[in-house]
């Protein structure tokens, strides 16, 4: 793989795509819920997501499992990445301890512990996690809760809870479609069914959370569109574009505070 000639793949190889997606949805949730977001909280989310994804890929690479381009990258460069990983982990711990409120620190610590247990479980007992959907569901729940954590204190209605749940479904769609495409097959039927669910539920909550409803529906439609033409693209292209489909907050951030 000559990754140096494919600039568009480097964010994925460096595990930067997931932090960007998480930060954009964090900002959208915060603006729609009219919550507050300090720089330390945003910085911690981005760094924490990178730490989790980088650790997961390094462990995959060491086991020789699922050697996609991203795993090959970590297999070659794990020593340098490991140094950066431990340094960033210490920075995260220091910022969390010195900058977060007790409530946010408590919630964040619970999520961090859950993520740590996930990494231990999925790599110590890989056979259990081969059951269809288990790994994708776990990643999706952790990702959605982490991205919305800063807005939890401003949850005011069932529409707010539903919007977080729908984002969790959207994350599951993203993980599942990528898994299926990398196995050389179209996305399983459940993905298309959940796209319909997202659209229907978005209509239900559109009166209270129209911006989130539009962003989540747009991302779901983007994943369905990619699945329609999955066979024309390489696995690397599909993975990158699947994450691009989750960048829809960019389209709605300007109006998020006004329309919510």
């Amino acid at each position: 793989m000559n990754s140096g000639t494919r600039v568009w793949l480097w964010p994925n190889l460096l595990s930067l795509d997931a932090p960007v997606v998480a930060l954009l949805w964090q900002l959208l949730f915060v603006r729609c819920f009219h919550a507050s977001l300090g720089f330390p909280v945003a910085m911690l989310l981005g760094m924490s997501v990178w730490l989790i994804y980088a650790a997961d890929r390094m462990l995959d690479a060491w086991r020789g499992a699922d050697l996609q381009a991203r795993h090959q990258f970590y297999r070659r460069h794990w020593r340098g990445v490991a140094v950066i990983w431990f340094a960033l982990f210490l920075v995260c711990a220091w910022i969390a301890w010195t900058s977060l409120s007790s409530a946010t620190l408590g919630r964040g610590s619970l999520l961090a512990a859950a993520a740590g247990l996930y990494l231990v479980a999925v790599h110590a007992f890989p056979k259990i996690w081969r059951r269809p959907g288990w790994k994708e569901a776990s990643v999706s729940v952790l990702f959605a809760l982490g991205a919305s954590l800063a807005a939890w204190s401003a949850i005011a209605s069932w529409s707010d809870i539903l919007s977080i749940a729908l984002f969790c479904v959207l994350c599951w769609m993203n993980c599942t479609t990528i898994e299926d495409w990398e196995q050389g097959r179209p996305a399983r039927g459940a993905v298309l069914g959940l796209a319909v669910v997202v659209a229907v539920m978005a209509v239900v909550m559109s009166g209270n959370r129209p911006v989130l409803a539009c962003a989540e529906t747009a991302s779901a439609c983007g994943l369905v569109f990619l699945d329609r033409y999955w066979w024309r693209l390489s696995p690397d292209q599909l993975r990158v574009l699947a994450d691009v489909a989750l960048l829809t907050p960019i389209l709605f951030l300007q109006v998020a505070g006004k329309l919510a």
Side-chain angles (χ1 to χ4, degrees):
M1 181 194 69
N2 187 12
S3 57
T5 63
R6 296 185 288 176
V7 176
W8 51 268
L9 186 57
W10 278 100
N12 178 256
L13 296 181
L14 298 173
S15 301
L16 298 177
D17 45 359
V20 170
V21 171
L23 286 168
L24 284 173
W25 282 96
Q26 178 191 60
L27 186 55
L28 188 65
F29 276 115
V30 165
R31 288 193 178 181
C32 288
F33 289 8
H34 300 288
S36 59
L37 178 64
F39 181 72
V41 176
M43 185 166 57
L44 277 171
L45 175 66
M47 291 191 295
S48 298
V49 171
W50 185 86
L51 287 171
I52 294 168
Y53 273 72
D56 186 46
R57 291 175 180 180
M58 278 192 288
L59 291 170
D60 275 337
W62 288 339
R63 291 193 298 113
D66 302 324
L67 290 182
Q68 304 295 332
R70 58 192 181 277
H71 302 110
Q72 295 171 16
F73 174 85
Y74 278 92
R75 170 167 280 189
R76 289 195 300 270
H77 303 289
W78 70 268
R79 290 179 179 83
V81 173
V83 172
I84 297 172
W85 194 96
F86 282 109
L88 198 60
F89 178 84
L90 294 175
V91 171
C92 276
W94 179 78
I95 293 174
W97 184 255
T98 59
S99 302
L100 299 186
S101 66
S102 57
T104 303
L105 179 61
R107 295 167 186 163
S109 297
L110 286 175
L111 276 178
L117 287 174
Y118 161 80
L119 287 173
V120 170
V122 78
H123 291 284
F125 309 101
K127 291 183 179 180
I128 296 176
W129 292 86
R130 287 176 186 170
R131 297 179 182 180
W134 280 40
K135 184 175 181 179
E136 293 84 356
S138 300
V139 170
S140 302
V141 171
L142 290 171
F143 193 91
L145 292 180
S148 61
L149 175 65
W152 287 6
S153 60
I155 291 176
S157 67
W158 282 104
S159 293
D160 296 346
I161 297 174
L162 178 60
S163 66
I164 295 173
L166 286 183
F167 181 56
C168 180
V169 172
L170 192 62
C171 293
W172 183 88
M173 291 175 61
N174 174 270
C175 294
T176 303
T177 52
I178 290 172
E179 174 68 19
D180 288 341
W181 292 335
E182 289 185 342
Q183 296 299 319
R185 59 177 182 253
R188 63 200 73 173
V191 172
L192 301 180
L194 283 174
V196 175
V197 171
V198 170
V200 171
M201 291 298 100
V203 171
V204 171
M205 72 177 192
S206 60
N208 294 320
R209 294 299 176 198
V211 174
L212 281 166
C214 289
E216 290 170 346
T217 303
S219 290
C221 291
L223 291 171
V224 172
F225 178 81
L226 283 174
D227 187 59
R228 176 68 176 79
Y229 299 100
W230 72 274
W231 51 275
R232 296 185 178 182
L233 302 168
S234 71
D236 288 338
Q237 290 172 325
L238 286 167
R239 182 172 186 89
V240 169
L241 290 174
D243 288 336
V244 170
L246 295 187
L247 299 181
T248 53
I250 293 174
L251 306 175
F252 299 97
L253 284 173
Q254 291 299 319
V255 298
K258 300 176 183 178
L259 300 179

